Amino acid sequence: MAHIVLTQADIIRALTRISHEILESNRGPENLIILGIPTRGVILARRIAEIIQSIEPAATAVRVGSLDVTLYRDDLAHGRTRTPSRTEVPGSINGATVVLVDDVLYSGRTIRSALDALGDHGRPTIVRLAVLVDRGHRELPIRADFVGRNLPTATDERINVHLEEIDGDEFVSIDGGSNR
């Protein structure tokens, strides 16, 4: 049975906070590129860009795009993978501050793949990571710079992120595990 841990209002608050933190760490929206990791990371990246634009309406448009990491994964030979999505990088990333956005940070392997994919597009000045949920259980030395919610989980639990644009509703839940 799934247990809801974030409501739609919680998600909105988390993304608003993350957006403010990104602006503060970058000292404004200049030279900022926000890249979402498909599928839900792309939607979250667009939302963050919209929030940043609403906070800094006089600034030039925040550049937002997507970075598919499917073919950079180190587990391609170990089973199923999803169909690659389109990568859309808005202009050159050379010298820019790039914020990678994903829905859930778990082992760190997706982010390692994203860093490899990003390297094929240029050399940013700095790369930061924003995630809606950090569930722990890292296998690589990767951490998020901006986190919506830390949700410690058991390895047999699953985090489900539902977003209106894909799922028709909006919440984050945990299911599975021996304690649920």
Side-chain angles (χ1 to χ4, degrees), residues 7-8 22-24 49 72 74 82 88 93 109 116 139 145 158 170 176:
T7 64
Q8 183 175 27
I22 290 169
L23 280 171
E24 289 172 16
Y72 294 86
D74 62 3
R82 62 179 191 75
E88 296 177 356
I93 65 168
R109 293 188 178 279
D116 288 348
E139 296 173 4
D145 300 283
R158 179 173 171 81
E170 190 142 311

Side-chain angles (χ1 to χ4, degrees), residues 67-116:
L67 183 68
D68 185 73
V69 303
T70 304
L71 299 178
Y72 294 86
R73 296 190 61 87
D74 62 3
D75 58 358
L76 286 175
H78 294 92
R80 69 182 177 102
T81 185
R82 62 179 191 75
T83 303
S85 298
R86 198 165 140 128
T87 290
E88 296 177 356
V89 178
S92 173
I93 65 168
N94 292 325
T97 296
V98 173
V99 178
L100 297 173
V101 180
D102 205 3
D103 56 350
V104 178
L105 178 58
Y106 183 35
S107 67
R109 293 188 178 279
T110 298
I111 304 309
R112 189 220 37 92
S113 301
L115 293 170
D116 288 348

Side-chain angles (χ1 to χ4, degrees), residues 1-5 156-158 160 171-180:
M1 175 105 188
H3 171 70
I4 293 178
V5 291
D156 61 344
E157 291 177 313
R158 179 173 171 81
N160 301 299
F171 61 88
V172 176
S173 66
I174 298 177
D175 64 19
S178 53
N179 294 339
R180 301 254 177 235

